Amino acid sequence: MEQRGVNKRHRPHKQGRTERKLVPNLQGNGASYSPVKAEQEEQNVKQKAREMIAQVLRPQNLQKALQQVIANKGSAGIDGLKTTELKTYVQKHKEVLLETVKENQYLPQSILGVEIPKGGGKTRLLGIPTVVDRLLQQAVSQVLMPKFEYEFHENSYGFRPYKNARTAVGKALSNIHEGYNHIVAIDLQTFFDEVDHCLLLNLLYRKVKCPVTLRLIRKWLRVPIQIKGKLVKRRKGVPQGSPLSPLLSNILLNELDKELERRKLKFVRYADDFSIYCKRPSDAKLVSKAITKYLVERLKLKVNAKKSGIVKPVKFTILGFTFASTYQKGVKGAYQLTVGEKAWAKLKEKLKAVTRKTLPTSLAERIVKINEITRGWLTYFKGSSIVGKLRDIDGWLRNRLRYCIWTDWKKPERKRKNLLRLGVDADHAYAWSRTRKGGWRIAQSPILNTTITIKRLKQKGYIPMLEIYTKLNPSVYEPPYTRPVRTVV
């Protein structure tokens, strides 16, 4: 009867067996437990963790970071210290700076918030750290990059060595030519302002065990930003303008790359700008819903529904490039690269600013600036089919220069004398110098088109955009039979 009150689950013989398994083996040649050995292993782990901050503060790493910060130039931070003064400052305060970082006593200064034009009348908030903070962030980035780089996906092209925007566009074109014509374009709303600090630090902890380095990164993430003279607390987001922000953004969005890879999807990502390529519209709809849910719930990011959607290649823009169908007999589903309307509008805005008639600069200075803008723009968009559009832009730009020259002549008598020097007969020179027509109308008139010719503008240093484009893309006008033929041995 007494046995009925005993709990059947209570089995002393099995409990004893379990307890015997938990007792460490203190004898024999096998693995033995030792408090001293465990303490030594723990110290070794801590020492290895602290080795990272030692790598960050190595003289070679700091020198490389210093050169990079000075080369990047950039504006001064909240303390007013310029990049040109950084080298002298580091030489004077190097020992104190390194000691405060090692002892975990370094406190970063507030970030200077500057609004820059974004286009369409909108602005983007740019966070500018002090040059000293930029130096340390660059040094940390140089040490962290090799630890994370090999984990990043091959279809991630932003802020990575040996990859750029052109390789991303090339991959997108390759996907389209393979038949993936239904493109899921998802726009992340204010990505750099929405990055969750806890999530990011947890991802960093997988590779970074150094407590000093982690605390330093956390301080940079949490430091307040000064906007119009007022300090604002930051509890999320990465300062756009920091040397560390590109790497941190890639670390976070690498989780998105893993999810897309797990789903076996074709995609292209450049920083926070990414697109997914599908063969069928039904697949594209399902992918769009699933990835949007993943971004919102798992990565805690906001998706701009107005700018997101499913588009065909002719309606799709990636990093300034668009795609146009190639109408060739017997060829179906082929596309060529062109330039988006926003990129053309930005180019014209820059050229307008340089060729503004009220700008107090000489013609030679204008031409030098124009050549810099056009060469850089055409180098980026090299390989795109824009010959016809370039002819129109060239004609418009030359008329802008003629307008500037006509305005510089100012007085009627000076205009008459200059027209005479350019070969205009006396009657026409007098009549045009006293005309009441507006300057822009005269710039497009035959009197200036036949006198201030392309040849004369070239003598002043002007290079037409079409000429630069032809040099960058020699195969555009080169007959097939003039190309060098490689001999097959």
Side-chain angles (χ1 to χ4, degrees), residues 9 39 63 72 77 165 243 252 257 273 281 292 302 336 344 420 422 482:
R9 293 182 182 179
E39 188 177 350
Q63 182 62 28
N72 290 341
L252 178 64
D257 297 345
D273 190 349
T292 300
K302 291 183 179 179
Q336 59 185 346
W344 285 113
L420 288 171
L422 292 171
T482 61

Side-chain angles (χ1 to χ4, degrees), residues 5 52 64 66 95 100 138 145 175 226 229 239 334 342 347 351 390 408 427 443 448 452 454 460:
M52 178 171 285
K64 185 180 177 183
L66 178 64
E95 292 182 4
T100 53
Q138 181 65 35
M145 176 65 79
N175 290 338
Q226 181 179 320
K342 286 185 178 180
L347 174 65
L351 294 175
L390 283 180
D408 288 343
D427 292 338
L448 289 190
I452 305 175
I454 300 176
K460 295 291 184 180

Side-chain angles (χ1 to χ4, degrees), residues 153-157 167-184 260 264-269 274-280 313 316 318 323 333-335 337:
H153 198 276
E154 60 180 0
N155 290 339
S156 170
Y157 296 90
T167 53
V169 174
K171 181 63 177 177
L173 184 61
S174 175
N175 290 338
I176 292 170
H177 283 162
E178 289 176 12
Y180 295 86
N181 294 327
H182 299 277
I183 305 167
V184 180
L260 296 172
K264 297 180 181 180
L265 297 172
K266 285 189 174 289
F267 68 96
V268 173
R269 184 175 68 80
F274 74 98
S275 49
I276 308 166
Y277 302 80
C278 303
K279 283 193 173 182
R280 294 179 296 184
F316 178 57
I318 177 171
F323 304 92
Y335 293 85
L337 287 176

Side-chain angles (χ1 to χ4, degrees), residues 208-455:
V208 183
K209 303 298 182 182
C210 176
V212 179
T213 307
L214 280 173
R215 285 179 190 139
L216 196 58
I217 294 172
R218 186 180 182 277
K219 288 175 184 177
W220 284 324
L221 290 174
R222 306 279 282 187
V223 72
I225 184 170
Q226 181 179 320
I227 303 173
K228 296 179 180 178
K230 294 182 180 179
L231 287 178
V232 180
K233 289 182 179 180
R234 296 172 61 251
R235 292 296 175 262
K236 61 179 180 178
V238 178
Q240 195 172 357
S242 158
L244 200 56
S245 60
L247 176 60
L248 296 179
S249 64
N250 272 336
I251 290 171
L252 178 64
L253 290 176
N254 188 48
E255 298 302 303
L256 171 65
D257 297 345
K258 290 177 182 177
E259 178 67 15
L260 296 172
E261 180 66 21
R262 188 183 67 81
R263 294 173 179 268
K264 297 180 181 180
L265 297 172
K266 285 189 174 289
F267 68 96
V268 173
R269 184 175 68 80
Y270 187 92
D272 61 324
D273 190 349
F274 74 98
S275 49
I276 308 166
Y277 302 80
C278 303
K279 283 193 173 182
R280 294 179 296 184
S282 57
D283 294 342
K285 288 180 182 178
L286 292 173
V287 167
S288 178
K289 289 180 181 178
I291 298 304
T292 300
K293 185 179 179 181
Y294 179 84
L295 289 167
V296 174
E297 294 182 359
R298 296 292 296 275
L299 299 186
K300 301 178 182 179
L301 298 172
K302 291 183 179 179
V303 174
N304 190 340
K306 293 182 179 178
K307 293 184 179 181
S308 303
I310 302 167
V311 293
K312 296 287 282 182
V314 291
K315 298 288 185 180
F316 178 57
T317 302
I318 177 171
L319 301 173
F321 288 86
T322 56
F323 304 92
S325 299
T326 54
Y327 300 101
Q328 295 180 6
K329 190 174 181 180
V331 179
K332 188 178 180 181
Y335 293 85
Q336 59 185 346
L337 287 176
T338 58
V339 178
E341 292 299 325
K342 286 185 178 180
W344 285 113
K346 286 181 181 178
L347 174 65
K348 289 192 77 172
E349 281 180 12
K350 289 180 180 179
L351 294 175
K352 271 184 179 179
V354 177
T355 55
R356 192 174 289 115
K357 67 174 184 177
T358 55
L359 199 66
T361 55
S362 64
L363 178 64
E365 291 173 339
R366 291 179 195 269
I367 289 174
V368 168
K369 190 64 178 175
I370 287 169
N371 290 340
E372 288 177 2
I373 294 170
T374 54
R375 188 175 293 278
W377 192 88
L378 287 169
T379 301
Y380 179 79
F381 289 105
K382 181 174 63 174
S384 52
S385 303
I386 51 174
V387 174
K389 188 79 173 179
L390 283 180
R391 287 197 187 99
D392 298 337
I393 295 289
D394 270 337
W396 168 82
L397 182 58
R398 285 192 289 269
N399 285 335
R400 295 277 300 182
L401 287 173
R402 292 183 183 113
Y403 188 19
C404 292
I405 293 169
W406 182 258
T407 306
D408 288 343
W409 289 349
K410 293 183 180 179
K411 295 183 179 180
E413 186 59 23
R414 187 179 176 187
K415 291 176 182 178
R416 185 185 72 83
K417 289 180 179 179
N418 285 329
L419 288 173
L420 288 171
R421 290 192 190 100
L422 292 171
V424 181
D425 61 88
D427 292 338
H428 281 90
Y430 183 85
W432 281 99
S433 64
R434 268 70 178 177
T435 184
R436 292 186 178 183
K437 293 178 181 179
W440 180 241
R441 187 173 177 183
I442 294 170
Q444 300 174 79
S445 67
I447 194 68
L448 289 190
N449 277 305
T450 55
T451 53
I452 305 175
T453 59
I454 300 176
K455 184 179 178 181

